[in-house]
Amino acid sequence: MNWGSILQFLGTDATTQGLIWTIFALGVFVSYRILDVADLSVESIFPFSAITSLLFVNLGVQPILAILIAIILGGMIGFINGCLHVYLKINPLLSGIIIMVALYSPNVIISSGNIVLDSDEYTIFTGLNTLLDNYVLSKLIILGIITFAIIGFMYWFFGTELGLSLRAAGKNTSMARAQGINTDSRYLMGMVFSAMLISLAGALYGQMTKHVSADAGKGSIVIGLTILFIGEVLLGHRSFKLSLFSVVIGGIIYWLIIDTIIQIPGFNTNYLNLLKGILITFVVVIPEIKKYISKKKKPTIAGINQEGV
Amino acid sequence: MKKLNLLLLAGVTATCTMGLSSCGSDLTQIGILQVATFDALDSCREGFISTLEDAGFVDGENVEFTFQNPEGDSPTQDSMAINLATNCDMVFGISTGSSQALKSAVEDQGKDTPILFSAVTDPVDAGLVTSFTEHENVVGTSDGGPTAENIELFTEFEGIEKIGIIYNSAEPNSIIQKEEAAEACSELGLTLVDGGISSQTEIDTTLQGFVAQGVQGVFIPTDNTIAQAIDGMKDTLEENGLVTVCADSAVTTAGGSLGYSVDYTNLGETTGKMAVKILNGTDISTIPCSKSESFPLTLREDFFNTTGIAVPDSIQAIIDSQEA
């Protein structure tokens, strides 16, 4: 294997975009895998936080503080989304759609369609960049640290009593309630946590690209779910820790696929979505290919293969 | 099993990285990023490429064009912009978002690759240039259209007092034109109904809403979303006899009624001339940005034949003089 080309790849956009979308997919993981809710509000929360983080930076707020404000605002929207289900008894899928549709208007109003970072303002990546003089590397370092800090936090949090009760409430609501867990409060907590992760991804995305349009979140839920599935297929979900790491792998592989397609010389990008579909199918059927290969390798004694696994 | 897993993972990575290293050649690389496919932007791109060819920069001989189109998907557009900024000696963004993405990508890599833009209504507001003459490595053409003149066309028809404007409220170009239209309407004493939409699916409802509110005419600015959907709007517009003024000739011929429009082929050609100058060694910061100057009037006769609305004499006179 050519290590030079791998290093070259690691310095490209696939990894930086991959890490941002990993954080996004971790948010989807919380709502979709832990709470078992397909939350569509992410499509609007993502651009919302990207826009607010840029807006506050333009107002002269420190970039890190701007991200924190975006996360808090995003968490509040997640709370409203949760309340729609818990108190107004709206189906979670519909409550997500309501937020997605409703939040579009504030997005358009505060961004007036499209927001750009003022040329004399800084982003969270600028500081390290002046130090390292390599924008890609500084993005990688900052995003890498944030991603792994989040994974560490999630691993710890979902291992605490509170976190475990949250997982239980999502897995089997009636059983959890029978155990004396307040499932409504756990649902709200999960939705807020998920929305905060989405907001973090959005705020970082905004500061990375330095321009965001109000419809930047179009199709983001599809990206998030695809990342989850790619990761799960490649690493499996035998343990909670592995599930978290599989999201990182999924995020990077997904953007690697996109990056590879768009770098094919002379490629007609009208075929982009078709090729995306084919490549994702290919990645997702890998386990089936694996099964087929290991079946062929099976020794005469049934049940034990050569690797002894 | 675990080994196999890793092997497959490595396989995928290796195949992908092979794709990455296959780029690179001696020819001057020109990257084009176009936000989505539709007539106006396509003709802009074609005008750009043909001008370069006329000046002796032919694809495959001394230059190589890389054309990318994310079909409106923002994150993919950013990836494409970074890819083009990495591999190309000159980049060309068609639409505001594409040009911004390219500018941000080039800046991030600490390069000073020349960036050209076109189909941007307000490059100053979009943060691309400080002013039409003050800029660093960014230059291009604006497609600011004759909005006031277009709104005035409604006054040529008898009985039009209330008009609707339909546009995608997330497109900066359209928002600028909506504001211009609102100003023109208040000067001419017309009532403007705001029909901002967020996706193509809302177009039909918005048009029905216009009819319910007694709107007699519709104004369509140079809007990427509407331009993609105009074929589907044609029947509703004709059935209700709504005089539709479009700021894009391709939209007018596909389903509108009439309109002064920006000539996108011409806009692409003007941008192409700038590219030729840069390739011949002119300092990019000395080239001023420019705006489209001639706005031909387009008229779709089918609309007037189907609805039975008569073409006002004053408009017919302009068409005749244009043909002559």
Side-chain angles (χ1 to χ4, degrees), chain A residues 1 5 9 13 17 21 104 108 112-114 116 135 205 208-211 213-216 218 234 255-256 259-260 262-263 267 269-270 272 286 290 307, chain B residues 1 4-5 8-10 16-17 20 23 37 68-69 71-76 78-80 82-83 97 100-101 104 107-108 126 168-170 172 175 198:
Chain A
M1 201 180 294
S5 64
F9 148 67
D13 174 56
Q17 281 254 34
W21 288 93
Y104 185 80
V108 169
S112 54
N114 178 304
V116 200
Y135 202 80
Y205 176 79
M208 186 173 90
T209 59
K210 292 185 262 183
H211 70 96
S213 71
D215 56 3
K218 205 169 63 185
L234 289 179
W255 283 103
L256 193 54
D259 239 36
T260 311
I262 62 180
Q263 299 220 7
F267 175 65
T269 34
N270 288 337
L272 176 68
I286 283 179
K290 240 162 47 179
E307 282 173 341
Chain B
M1 238 3 217
L4 204 59
N5 241 332
L8 278 164
L9 199 65
C16 292
T17 35
L20 297 186
C23 309
T37 309
Q68 303 214 314
N69 177 340
E71 296 299 351
D73 184 55
S74 284
T76 312
D78 292 322
S79 277
M80 289 176 166
I82 292 177
N83 171 30
Q100 286 171 332
S104 151
E107 266 175 13
D108 286 354
N168 179 351
S169 46
I175 291 170
S198 63

Side-chain angles (χ1 to χ4, degrees), chain A residues 270-290:
Chain A
N270 288 337
Y271 293 109
L272 176 68
N273 286 348
L274 178 65
L275 210 56
K276 228 191 309 190
I278 295 173
L279 268 175
I280 291 169
T281 315
F282 172 71
V283 173
V284 176
V285 296
I286 283 179
E288 289 303 314
I289 304 171
K290 240 162 47 179

Side-chain angles (χ1 to χ4, degrees), chain A residues 67-108:
Chain A
I67 291 180
L68 288 178
I69 297 172
I71 294 175
I72 293 168
L73 290 173
M76 281 156 78
I77 292 161
F79 183 73
I80 298 171
N81 187 5
C83 287
L84 286 179
H85 171 56
V86 170
Y87 297 112
L88 301 181
K89 307 288 175 229
I90 296 173
N91 180 299
L93 188 61
L94 183 60
S95 77
I97 294 174
I98 292 174
I99 298 286
M100 175 180 86
V101 173
L103 198 58
Y104 185 80
S105 301
N107 280 351
V108 169

Side-chain angles (χ1 to χ4, degrees), chain A residues 2-291:
Chain A
N2 184 351
W3 288 105
S5 64
I6 288 184
L7 276 178
Q8 184 202 341
F9 148 67
L10 282 175
T12 63
D13 174 56
T15 336
T16 48
Q17 281 254 34
L19 286 173
I20 286 201
W21 288 93
T22 295
I23 301 173
F24 180 90
L26 285 169
V28 176
F29 177 83
V30 172
S31 57
Y32 187 71
R33 276 284 173 244
I34 295 185
L35 292 178
D36 203 17
V37 171
D39 177 21
L40 294 179
S41 68
V42 298
E43 296 235 333
S44 281
I45 295 180
F46 182 76
F48 172 77
S49 18
I51 290 164
T52 37
S53 91
L54 280 187
L55 183 76
F56 280 105
V57 169
N58 280 350
L59 289 175
V61 177
Q62 283 288 323
I64 296 182
L65 207 60
I67 291 180
L68 288 178
I69 297 172
I71 294 175
I72 293 168
L73 290 173
M76 281 156 78
I77 292 161
F79 183 73
I80 298 171
N81 187 5
C83 287
L84 286 179
H85 171 56
V86 170
Y87 297 112
L88 301 181
K89 307 288 175 229
I90 296 173
N91 180 299
L93 188 61
L94 183 60
S95 77
I97 294 174
I98 292 174
I99 298 286
M100 175 180 86
V101 173
L103 198 58
Y104 185 80
S105 301
N107 280 351
V108 169
I109 294 163
I110 52 181
S111 68
S112 54
N114 178 304
I115 188 164
V116 200
L117 182 81
D118 285 348
S119 52
D120 51 348
E121 294 295 348
Y122 304 101
T123 68
I124 186 171
F125 305 104
T126 319
L128 194 63
N129 185 33
T130 41
L131 208 73
L132 296 174
D133 199 27
N134 185 333
Y135 202 80
V136 178
L137 196 64
S138 15
K139 279 197 291 197
L140 271 181
I141 293 176
I142 291 175
L143 292 174
I145 291 174
I146 294 176
T147 311
F148 285 99
I150 287 168
I151 289 186
F153 173 77
M154 282 175 76
Y155 183 61
W156 167 81
F157 174 73
F158 286 107
T160 62
E161 201 174 321
L162 186 65
L164 281 170
S165 67
L166 207 163
R167 282 163 72 186
K171 272 254 151 45
N172 189 336
T173 318
S174 337
M175 189 63 187
R177 209 171 285 152
Q179 301 289 335
I181 296 171
N182 181 347
T183 49
D184 283 350
S185 81
R186 298 302 184 276
Y187 179 82
L188 282 177
M189 197 188 296
M191 289 314 273
V192 171
F193 189 46
S194 159
M196 286 170 105
L197 285 173
I198 303 291
S199 302
L200 173 62
L204 288 169
Y205 176 79
Q207 296 204 3
M208 186 173 90
T209 59
K210 292 185 262 183
H211 70 96
V212 182
S213 71
D215 56 3
K218 205 169 63 185
S220 56
I221 182 72
V222 180
I223 301 179
L225 288 175
T226 315
I227 289 174
L228 276 193
F229 287 124
I230 293 180
E232 273 175 17
V233 159
L234 289 179
L235 280 190
H237 41 119
R238 273 160 293 178
S239 73
F240 191 70
K241 191 167 38 175
L242 209 58
S243 304
L244 288 178
F245 272 106
S246 73
V247 180
V248 183
I249 301 292
I252 294 174
I253 296 275
Y254 179 83
W255 283 103
L256 193 54
I257 291 173
I258 307 279
D259 239 36
T260 311
I261 300 173
I262 62 180
Q263 299 220 7
I264 301 171
F267 175 65
N268 179 349
T269 34
N270 288 337
Y271 293 109
L272 176 68
N273 286 348
L274 178 65
L275 210 56
K276 228 191 309 190
I278 295 173
L279 268 175
I280 291 169
T281 315
F282 172 71
V283 173
V284 176
V285 296
I286 283 179
E288 289 303 314
I289 304 171
K290 240 162 47 179
K291 257 187 220 160

